[in-house]
Amino acid sequence: MNDSSDYVPPKIWTWVKPSGGQFANINRPIAGPTHEKELPVGRHPLQLYSLATPNGVKVAVMLEELLALGRAGAEYDAWLIRINEGDQFGSGFVAINPNSKIPALMDRSGPKPIRLFESGAILLYLAEKFGAFLPTEAVARAECLSWLFWQMGSAPYLGGGFGHFYAYAPSKIEYAIDRFAMEAKRLLDVLDRRLAETEYLAGSEYTIADIAAWPWYGGLAKGGAYGAAEFLNVQEYKNVLRWTEAIAARPAAKRGRMVNRTNGDPSGQLHERHDASDFQTRTQDKLAAASEQPSSIGSAAAPAS
């Protein structure tokens, strides 16, 4: 990457070398699969293929919230897609999402499977399918959808903009960091002003707008996203902090945040989710402890001392 002020873009850009940065090995200017790989299919109606990035967390939280409401049809299998290893470019994944981004969802509850991609579309589909977390009254519904799509539109400024240049770019470019830090703080201020008026984004009820925004803005507010809490002075957004903590305390949000997580405390990582009991038995700390236990067969075969 050339970040010199005397760089002159060519008349026609061509891809001649990796762009650099943490994700350079998976970035390319063309779409489509790079290899043949079918996706696994579990026993539940819904099949989630994802990773616990903010966009992935949205859908896992939504599914856990639906199950908490007693919507049995929302039972799901969650399969891990390791985007740093290029799993999203396998033929099976691309068949669900031609854009090769997580999350992707297959609904196999009907006679013909339905594919879903883009996290906002998945949230809206699930809300309508199960009749939950989306107001039916016209004004409240419009408010909910407006904030849902506000989040979808703002995410690139936080992730591909601020997050990339602050945390992942191979060199620190003052102009780029300043440009996107300014936008990140403006968006936090938009959110903070709204939450000074209402408990949740669409009003007094928790909706898919909150489920969409919380992994992104809550992540910034709690300091987990890009290690930038101090840099962005997130403590000044008191209403965002109040909203963040309220959602973080919800049991379904806690569970959803664990699904397909591969970083942080091993007790908070559930790489795959196939049953509600997995949260108690198959987190990474539990699996590591089980693997360290001596084999019962080996113990039985050992000679007596």
Side-chain angles (χ1 to χ4, degrees), residues 247-268:
I247 297 176
R250 296 177 68 91
K254 293 178 181 179
R255 292 193 299 272
R257 191 177 179 277
M258 295 168 63
V259 175
N260 298 140
R261 182 161 297 280
T262 59
N263 65 323
D265 188 333
S267 67

PDB file of all heavy atoms in Angstrom, residues 247-268:
ATOM      1  N   ILE A 247     -29.204  -4.461  27.462  1.00  0.00           N
ATOM      2  CA  ILE A 247     -29.273  -5.593  26.530  1.00  0.00           C
ATOM      3  C   ILE A 247     -28.284  -6.673  26.936  1.00  0.00           C
ATOM      4  O   ILE A 247     -28.589  -7.870  26.865  1.00  0.00           O
ATOM      5  CB  ILE A 247     -29.032  -5.112  25.092  1.00  0.00           C
ATOM      6  CG1 ILE A 247     -30.135  -4.139  24.671  1.00  0.00           C
ATOM      7  CG2 ILE A 247     -28.977  -6.309  24.129  1.00  0.00           C
ATOM      8  CD1 ILE A 247     -29.944  -3.517  23.307  1.00  0.00           C
ATOM      9  N   ALA A 248     -27.099  -6.282  27.378  1.00  0.00           N
ATOM     10  CA  ALA A 248     -26.084  -7.261  27.782  1.00  0.00           C
ATOM     11  C   ALA A 248     -26.567  -8.131  28.933  1.00  0.00           C
ATOM     12  O   ALA A 248     -26.107  -9.269  29.082  1.00  0.00           O
ATOM     13  CB  ALA A 248     -24.796  -6.544  28.170  1.00  0.00           C
ATOM     14  N   ALA A 249     -27.493  -7.622  29.732  1.00  0.00           N
ATOM     15  CA  ALA A 249     -28.012  -8.382  30.871  1.00  0.00           C
ATOM     16  C   ALA A 249     -29.067  -9.402  30.476  1.00  0.00           C
ATOM     17  O   ALA A 249     -29.435 -10.259  31.287  1.00  0.00           O
ATOM     18  CB  ALA A 249     -28.601  -7.421  31.908  1.00  0.00           C
ATOM     19  N   ARG A 250     -29.559  -9.348  29.240  1.00  0.00           N
ATOM     20  CA  ARG A 250     -30.589 -10.291  28.799  1.00  0.00           C
ATOM     21  C   ARG A 250     -29.966 -11.678  28.610  1.00  0.00           C
ATOM     22  O   ARG A 250     -28.955 -11.816  27.891  1.00  0.00           O
ATOM     23  CB  ARG A 250     -31.224  -9.825  27.490  1.00  0.00           C
ATOM     24  CG  ARG A 250     -31.978  -8.505  27.593  1.00  0.00           C
ATOM     25  CD  ARG A 250     -32.516  -8.072  26.237  1.00  0.00           C
ATOM     26  NE  ARG A 250     -33.574  -8.945  25.763  1.00  0.00           N
ATOM     27  CZ  ARG A 250     -34.875  -8.761  25.988  1.00  0.00           C
ATOM     28  NH1 ARG A 250     -35.269  -7.713  26.706  1.00  0.00           N
ATOM     29  NH2 ARG A 250     -35.774  -9.610  25.516  1.00  0.00           N
ATOM     30  N   PRO A 251     -30.522 -12.715  29.209  1.00  0.00           N
ATOM     31  CA  PRO A 251     -29.940 -14.056  29.059  1.00  0.00           C
ATOM     32  C   PRO A 251     -29.774 -14.499  27.607  1.00  0.00           C
ATOM     33  O   PRO A 251     -28.761 -15.114  27.257  1.00  0.00           O
ATOM     34  CB  PRO A 251     -30.935 -14.945  29.810  1.00  0.00           C
ATOM     35  CG  PRO A 251     -31.547 -14.044  30.830  1.00  0.00           C
ATOM     36  CD  PRO A 251     -31.660 -12.713  30.159  1.00  0.00           C
ATOM     37  N   ALA A 252     -30.747 -14.179  26.760  1.00  0.00           N
ATOM     38  CA  ALA A 252     -30.654 -14.582  25.352  1.00  0.00           C
ATOM     39  C   ALA A 252     -29.512 -13.863  24.643  1.00  0.00           C
ATOM     40  O   ALA A 252     -28.837 -14.446  23.782  1.00  0.00           O
ATOM     41  CB  ALA A 252     -31.974 -14.319  24.634  1.00  0.00           C
ATOM     42  N   ALA A 253     -29.288 -12.600  24.989  1.00  0.00           N
ATOM     43  CA  ALA A 253     -28.176 -11.863  24.399  1.00  0.00           C
ATOM     44  C   ALA A 253     -26.840 -12.453  24.846  1.00  0.00           C
ATOM     45  O   ALA A 253     -25.893 -12.560  24.059  1.00  0.00           O
ATOM     46  CB  ALA A 253     -28.264 -10.385  24.763  1.00  0.00           C
ATOM     47  N   LYS A 254     -26.761 -12.844  26.110  1.00  0.00           N
ATOM     48  CA  LYS A 254     -25.537 -13.484  26.601  1.00  0.00           C
ATOM     49  C   LYS A 254     -25.247 -14.766  25.838  1.00  0.00           C
ATOM     50  O   LYS A 254     -24.108 -15.042  25.447  1.00  0.00           O
ATOM     51  CB  LYS A 254     -25.665 -13.781  28.094  1.00  0.00           C
ATOM     52  CG  LYS A 254     -25.716 -12.549  28.986  1.00  0.00           C
ATOM     53  CD  LYS A 254     -25.883 -12.948  30.450  1.00  0.00           C
ATOM     54  CE  LYS A 254     -25.952 -11.751  31.351  1.00  0.00           C
ATOM     55  NZ  LYS A 254     -26.141 -12.115  32.783  1.00  0.00           N
ATOM     56  N   ARG A 255     -26.302 -15.573  25.632  1.00  0.00           N
ATOM     57  CA  ARG A 255     -26.105 -16.829  24.901  1.00  0.00           C
ATOM     58  C   ARG A 255     -25.743 -16.559  23.442  1.00  0.00           C
ATOM     59  O   ARG A 255     -24.827 -17.184  22.888  1.00  0.00           O
ATOM     60  CB  ARG A 255     -27.366 -17.687  24.990  1.00  0.00           C
ATOM     61  CG  ARG A 255     -27.663 -18.230  26.374  1.00  0.00           C
ATOM     62  CD  ARG A 255     -28.730 -19.308  26.332  1.00  0.00           C
ATOM     63  NE  ARG A 255     -29.995 -18.817  25.812  1.00  0.00           N
ATOM     64  CZ  ARG A 255     -30.949 -18.253  26.547  1.00  0.00           C
ATOM     65  NH1 ARG A 255     -30.769 -18.083  27.842  1.00  0.00           N
ATOM     66  NH2 ARG A 255     -32.081 -17.846  25.991  1.00  0.00           N
ATOM     67  N   GLY A 256     -26.476 -15.656  22.819  1.00  0.00           N
ATOM     68  CA  GLY A 256     -26.227 -15.387  21.411  1.00  0.00           C
ATOM     69  C   GLY A 256     -24.814 -14.898  21.153  1.00  0.00           C
ATOM     70  O   GLY A 256     -24.218 -15.214  20.115  1.00  0.00           O
ATOM     71  N   ARG A 257     -24.279 -14.135  22.076  1.00  0.00           N
ATOM     72  CA  ARG A 257     -22.922 -13.625  21.901  1.00  0.00           C
ATOM     73  C   ARG A 257     -21.881 -14.742  21.941  1.00  0.00           C
ATOM     74  O   ARG A 257     -20.780 -14.604  21.392  1.00  0.00           O
ATOM     75  CB  ARG A 257     -22.627 -12.589  22.991  1.00  0.00           C
ATOM     76  CG  ARG A 257     -21.349 -11.806  22.764  1.00  0.00           C
ATOM     77  CD  ARG A 257     -21.140 -10.756  23.836  1.00  0.00           C
ATOM     78  NE  ARG A 257     -19.892 -10.042  23.610  1.00  0.00           N
ATOM     79  CZ  ARG A 257     -18.698 -10.476  24.005  1.00  0.00           C
ATOM     80  NH1 ARG A 257     -18.612 -11.627  24.659  1.00  0.00           N
ATOM     81  NH2 ARG A 257     -17.608  -9.766  23.758  1.00  0.00           N
ATOM     82  N   MET A 258     -22.209 -15.864  22.556  1.00  0.00           N
ATOM     83  CA  MET A 258     -21.275 -16.985  22.662  1.00  0.00           C
ATOM     84  C   MET A 258     -21.213 -17.831  21.393  1.00  0.00           C
ATOM     85  O   MET A 258     -20.200 -18.492  21.130  1.00  0.00           O
ATOM     86  CB  MET A 258     -21.682 -17.880  23.832  1.00  0.00           C
ATOM     87  CG  MET A 258     -21.590 -17.231  25.195  1.00  0.00           C
ATOM     88  SD  MET A 258     -22.394 -18.203  26.500  1.00  0.00           S
ATOM     89  CE  MET A 258     -21.412 -19.708  26.480  1.00  0.00           C
ATOM     90  N   VAL A 259     -22.283 -17.816  20.617  1.00  0.00           N
ATOM     91  CA  VAL A 259     -22.403 -18.728  19.478  1.00  0.00           C
ATOM     92  C   VAL A 259     -21.389 -18.370  18.388  1.00  0.00           C
ATOM     93  O   VAL A 259     -21.281 -17.212  17.974  1.00  0.00           O
ATOM     94  CB  VAL A 259     -23.832 -18.691  18.913  1.00  0.00           C
ATOM     95  CG1 VAL A 259     -23.936 -19.544  17.655  1.00  0.00           C
ATOM     96  CG2 VAL A 259     -24.827 -19.166  19.967  1.00  0.00           C
ATOM     97  N   ASN A 260     -20.644 -19.365  17.937  1.00  0.00           N
ATOM     98  CA  ASN A 260     -19.629 -19.216  16.881  1.00  0.00           C
ATOM     99  C   ASN A 260     -18.502 -18.265  17.274  1.00  0.00           C
ATOM    100  O   ASN A 260     -17.797 -17.736  16.420  1.00  0.00           O
ATOM    101  CB  ASN A 260     -20.248 -18.746  15.561  1.00  0.00           C
ATOM    102  CG  ASN A 260     -21.250 -19.717  14.981  1.00  0.00           C
ATOM    103  OD1 ASN A 260     -22.285 -19.294  14.456  1.00  0.00           O
ATOM    104  ND2 ASN A 260     -20.990 -21.018  15.060  1.00  0.00           N
ATOM    105  N   ARG A 261     -18.325 -18.048  18.583  1.00  0.00           N
ATOM    106  CA  ARG A 261     -17.228 -17.181  19.039  1.00  0.00           C
ATOM    107  C   ARG A 261     -15.934 -17.987  19.122  1.00  0.00           C
ATOM    108  O   ARG A 261     -15.922 -19.107  19.630  1.00  0.00           O
ATOM    109  CB  ARG A 261     -17.554 -16.556  20.399  1.00  0.00           C
ATOM    110  CG  ARG A 261     -16.468 -15.598  20.915  1.00  0.00           C
ATOM    111  CD  ARG A 261     -17.002 -14.678  21.994  1.00  0.00           C
ATOM    112  NE  ARG A 261     -18.057 -13.820  21.468  1.00  0.00           N
ATOM    113  CZ  ARG A 261     -17.844 -12.699  20.746  1.00  0.00           C
ATOM    114  NH1 ARG A 261     -16.613 -12.311  20.475  1.00  0.00           N
ATOM    115  NH2 ARG A 261     -18.851 -11.988  20.311  1.00  0.00           N
ATOM    116  N   THR A 262     -14.844 -17.396  18.642  1.00  0.00           N
ATOM    117  CA  THR A 262     -13.550 -18.075  18.643  1.00  0.00           C
ATOM    118  C   THR A 262     -12.474 -17.280  19.370  1.00  0.00           C
ATOM    119  O   THR A 262     -11.300 -17.647  19.319  1.00  0.00           O
ATOM    120  CB  THR A 262     -13.081 -18.341  17.205  1.00  0.00           C
ATOM    121  OG1 THR A 262     -12.964 -17.097  16.496  1.00  0.00           O
ATOM    122  CG2 THR A 262     -14.061 -19.252  16.461  1.00  0.00           C
ATOM    123  N   ASN A 263     -12.859 -16.207  20.040  1.00  0.00           N
ATOM    124  CA  ASN A 263     -11.863 -15.416  20.780  1.00  0.00           C
ATOM    125  C   ASN A 263     -12.393 -15.091  22.166  1.00  0.00           C
ATOM    126  O   ASN A 263     -13.576 -15.262  22.456  1.00  0.00           O
ATOM    127  CB  ASN A 263     -11.523 -14.135  20.020  1.00  0.00           C
ATOM    128  CG  ASN A 263     -12.709 -13.191  19.913  1.00  0.00           C
ATOM    129  OD1 ASN A 263     -13.853 -13.620  19.758  1.00  0.00           O
ATOM    130  ND2 ASN A 263     -12.454 -11.906  19.987  1.00  0.00           N
ATOM    131  N   GLY A 264     -11.489 -14.622  23.023  1.00  0.00           N
ATOM    132  CA  GLY A 264     -11.887 -14.259  24.373  1.00  0.00           C
ATOM    133  C   GLY A 264     -11.857 -15.434  25.332  1.00  0.00           C
ATOM    134  O   GLY A 264     -11.246 -16.485  25.072  1.00  0.00           O
ATOM    135  N   ASP A 265     -12.536 -15.287  26.448  1.00  0.00           N
ATOM    136  CA  ASP A 265     -12.594 -16.312  27.490  1.00  0.00           C
ATOM    137  C   ASP A 265     -13.155 -17.611  26.918  1.00  0.00           C
ATOM    138  O   ASP A 265     -14.235 -17.614  26.309  1.00  0.00           O
ATOM    139  CB  ASP A 265     -13.506 -15.811  28.616  1.00  0.00           C
ATOM    140  CG  ASP A 265     -13.485 -16.710  29.850  1.00  0.00           C
ATOM    141  OD1 ASP A 265     -13.214 -17.921  29.712  1.00  0.00           O
ATOM    142  OD2 ASP A 265     -13.765 -16.201  30.940  1.00  0.00           O
ATOM    143  N   PRO A 266     -12.450 -18.741  27.078  1.00  0.00           N
ATOM    144  CA  PRO A 266     -12.949 -20.018  26.551  1.00  0.00           C
ATOM    145  C   PRO A 266     -14.341 -20.383  27.054  1.00  0.00           C
ATOM    146  O   PRO A 266     -15.096 -21.049  26.346  1.00  0.00           O
ATOM    147  CB  PRO A 266     -11.899 -21.028  27.032  1.00  0.00           C
ATOM    148  CG  PRO A 266     -10.648 -20.232  27.154  1.00  0.00           C
ATOM    149  CD  PRO A 266     -11.090 -18.883  27.650  1.00  0.00           C
ATOM    150  N   SER A 267     -14.717 -19.932  28.256  1.00  0.00           N
ATOM    151  CA  SER A 267     -16.047 -20.240  28.766  1.00  0.00           C
ATOM    152  C   SER A 267     -17.143 -19.502  28.007  1.00  0.00           C
ATOM    153  O   SER A 267     -18.326 -19.834  28.121  1.00  0.00           O
ATOM    154  CB  SER A 267     -16.140 -19.904  30.258  1.00  0.00           C
ATOM    155  OG  SER A 267     -16.048 -18.502  30.463  1.00  0.00           O
ATOM    156  N   GLY A 268     -16.752 -18.501  27.226  1.00  0.00           N
ATOM    157  CA  GLY A 268     -17.713 -17.747  26.426  1.00  0.00           C
ATOM    158  C   GLY A 268     -17.672 -18.103  24.957  1.00  0.00           C
ATOM    159  O   GLY A 268     -18.279 -17.411  24.137  1.00  0.00           O
TER     160      GLY A 268
END
